[in-house]
């Protein structure tokens, strides 16, 4: 038994040492820029390294729902009810309670624009009747698309070590949605939703600050940093950008806009197809919590600001535009079929490190 305990402590020490080593290589966070017409990589850093996708997971949730719409399983007017399972999700901003119901169309806006974790689960249950069955569909789609560095464990991307992806795979996913379902692009373009009078804004600042932005999805967890899968078009060129592990929203927004600007200006050179980027399954996803959500975060943020000062006072910004936002108004109603059965009282949990919002 003592040998087992020692082994566990040694293992924990190795993990801690590895996290410190990774901190030393702080600039090594994944980036990928792709010309969507040719599928050619214009720029990349560690694009095959596994990462916690946070709410960019909801891109796959959207794809599965779009497939269900195309097959006729559901329609845009299908009711989506907030179940008990949905309302127990973490980091809720929607203000929705058990039994509140909206159309599937509105649920897509709530999940993608407001990044509502509870609505993402309710949406999954409306399509597949059970969250786990929906997640099976997510992973089946990932396999179909050749997303060899990806595994999903939920429709919303809340922290789970078995929910991971790569910049390569997320770019392939985003391009598939854009190519196959252009009629649903509006779901990625909202700057805010108003749910029963409560406004929840999108975290995608490029929608209102960078002209040509088509949309897509942001994500944040303390474990992942700030992620972005974005799409923009200018002068007939369509470009996908994936930035994972940014420290602040400013860094995420400015770096994304910078890569897009460089792509549109012809400053980036094609270097092979996105499918040819090699995923690296032997690498364990970094856990950014110590760097982003503890008393050590100030030092790490200062380090990142030195690397990426764009948008700080005295430095150039790549977000010059002022674009009117698109706001979706959502009205819910009580379900006639909701049965309010109290859930068993959970056991008290031990304090856990902050994990962010997945949004």
């Amino acid at each position: 038994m003592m040998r087992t305990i020692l082994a566990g402590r040694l293992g924990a020490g190795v993990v801690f040492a590895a996290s410190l080593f990774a901190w030393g290589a702080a600039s090594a966070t994944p980036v990928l820029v792709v010309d969507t017409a040719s599928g050619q990589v214009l720029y990349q850093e560690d694009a095959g390294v596994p990462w916690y996708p946070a709410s960019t997971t909801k891109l796959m949730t959207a794809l599965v729902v779009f497939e269900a719409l195309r097959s006729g399983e559901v329609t845009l007017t299908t009711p989506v009810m907030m179940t008990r399972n949905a309302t127990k999700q973490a980091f809720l901003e929607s203000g929705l309670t058990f039994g509140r119901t909206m159309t599937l169309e509105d649920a897509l806006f709530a999940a993608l624009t407001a990044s509502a974790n509870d609505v993402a689960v309710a949406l999954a249950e409306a399509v597949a009747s059970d969250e786990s069955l929906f997640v099976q569909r997510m992973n089946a789609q990932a396999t179909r698309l050749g997303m060899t560095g990806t595994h999903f464990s939920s429709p919303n991307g809340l922290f789970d070590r078995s929910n991971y992806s790569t910049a390569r795979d997320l770019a392939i996913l985003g391009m598939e949605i854009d190519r196959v379902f252009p009629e649903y692009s509006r779901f990625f373009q909202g700057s805010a939703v108003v749910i029963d009078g409560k406004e929840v804004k999108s975290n995608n600042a490029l929608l209102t600050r960078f002209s040509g932005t088509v949309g897509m999805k942001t994500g944040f967890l303390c474990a992942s940093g700030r992620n972005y899968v974005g799409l923009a078009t200018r002068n007939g060129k369509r470009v996908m950008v994936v930035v994972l592990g940014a420290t602040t929203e400013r860094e995420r927004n400015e770096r994304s806009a910078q890569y897009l600007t460089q792509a549109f200006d012809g400053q980036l050179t094609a270097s092979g197809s996105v499918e040819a980027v090699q995923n690296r399954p032997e690498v364990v996803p970094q856990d950014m919590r110590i760097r982003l959500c503890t008393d050590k975060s100030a030092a790490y943020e200062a380090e990142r600001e030195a690397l990426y000062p764009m948008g700080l006072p005295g430095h150039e910004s790549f977000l010059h535009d002022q674009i009117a936002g698109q706001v979706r108004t959502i009205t819910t109603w009580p379900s006639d079929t909701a049965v309010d059965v109290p859930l068993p009282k959970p056991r008290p949990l031990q304090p856990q490190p902050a994990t962010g919002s997945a949004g």
Side-chain angles (χ1 to χ4, degrees), residues 233-245:
T233 181
R234 287 184 183 177
N235 301 320
K237 183 180 288 188
R238 205 169 184 87
V239 177
M240 172 73 66
V241 62
V242 181
V243 174
L244 304 178

Side-chain angles (χ1 to χ4, degrees), residues 65-88:
V65 174
F66 295 161
E67 292 283 359
L69 284 165
R70 185 168 64 176
S71 68
E73 290 181 77
V74 291
T75 71
L76 290 174
T77 59
T78 295
V80 174
M81 187 190 82
M82 302 304 298
T83 64
R84 281 293 182 193
N85 184 40
T87 57
K88 73 180 183 182

Side-chain angles (χ1 to χ4, degrees), residues 32-293:
L32 183 61
V33 185
V34 182
D35 183 321
T36 67
S38 64
Q40 290 289 298
V41 173
L42 302 178
Y43 181 78
Q44 71 115 342
E45 298 175 25
D46 289 333
V49 169
W51 209 262
Y52 298 121
S55 273
T56 62
T57 295
K58 296 183 178 88
L59 289 172
M60 181 57 85
T61 299
L63 178 63
V64 173
V65 174
F66 295 161
E67 292 283 359
L69 284 165
R70 185 168 64 176
S71 68
E73 290 181 77
V74 291
T75 71
L76 290 174
T77 59
T78 295
V80 174
M81 187 190 82
M82 302 304 298
T83 64
R84 281 293 182 193
N85 184 40
T87 57
K88 73 180 183 182
Q89 302 302 305
F91 312 112
L92 304 183
E93 295 186 67
S94 70
L96 294 168
T97 55
F98 172 70
R100 299 305 300 182
T101 304
M102 66 184 76
T103 65
L104 185 140
E105 183 175 19
D106 281 342
L108 281 166
F109 276 107
L112 297 172
T113 300
S115 206
N117 295 319
D118 48 356
V119 179
V121 169
L123 189 57
E125 293 172 326
V127 169
S129 76
D130 179 86
E131 182 184 358
S132 64
L133 294 176
F134 187 89
V135 171
Q136 289 178 26
R137 294 195 193 189
M138 295 172 70
N139 287 311
Q141 289 289 341
T143 298
R144 179 182 69 83
L145 294 174
M147 297 170 61
T148 58
T150 296
H151 183 269
F152 296 112
S153 62
S154 75
N156 54 29
L158 286 169
F159 179 70
D160 187 316
R161 295 195 187 278
S162 64
N163 196 89
Y164 54 84
S165 190
T166 67
R168 170 199 181 272
D169 288 2
L170 290 169
I172 289 172
L173 171 59
M175 289 191 294
E176 175 76 358
I177 292 171
D178 183 54
R179 181 183 67 85
V180 179
F181 296 106
E183 69 270 29
Y184 296 137
S185 62
R186 67 186 186 278
F187 293 116
F188 305 100
Q189 295 171 357
S191 60
V193 296
V194 178
I195 305 175
D196 294 338
K198 178 181 180 179
E199 183 179 52
V200 185
K201 293 182 179 180
S202 166
N203 290 314
N204 186 356
L206 274 73
L207 288 166
T208 55
R209 302 279 305 281
F210 189 86
S211 65
T213 299
V214 178
M216 290 287 160
K217 192 71 190 76
T218 62
F220 169 70
L221 293 167
C222 288
S224 70
R226 288 170 171 84
N227 302 336
Y228 183 57
V229 179
L231 190 64
T233 181
R234 287 184 183 177
N235 301 320
K237 183 180 288 188
R238 205 169 184 87
V239 177
M240 172 73 66
V241 62
V242 181
V243 174
L244 304 178
T247 307
T248 61
E249 290 194 13
R250 177 203 57 80
E251 179 195 328
R252 174 175 65 188
N253 298 334
E254 290 283 355
R255 288 179 67 197
S256 298
Q258 180 186 39
Y259 295 129
L260 288 168
T261 299
Q262 291 170 340
F264 290 132
D265 289 349
Q267 299 176 35
L268 305 179
T269 304
S271 61
S273 71
V274 64
E275 289 84 1
V277 174
Q278 295 296 306
N279 282 325
R280 299 179 58 189
E282 76 281 2
V283 178
V284 176
Q286 290 191 41
D287 189 330
M288 305 283 285
R289 281 178 285 192
I290 293 176
R291 283 167 274 179
L292 296 187
C293 297

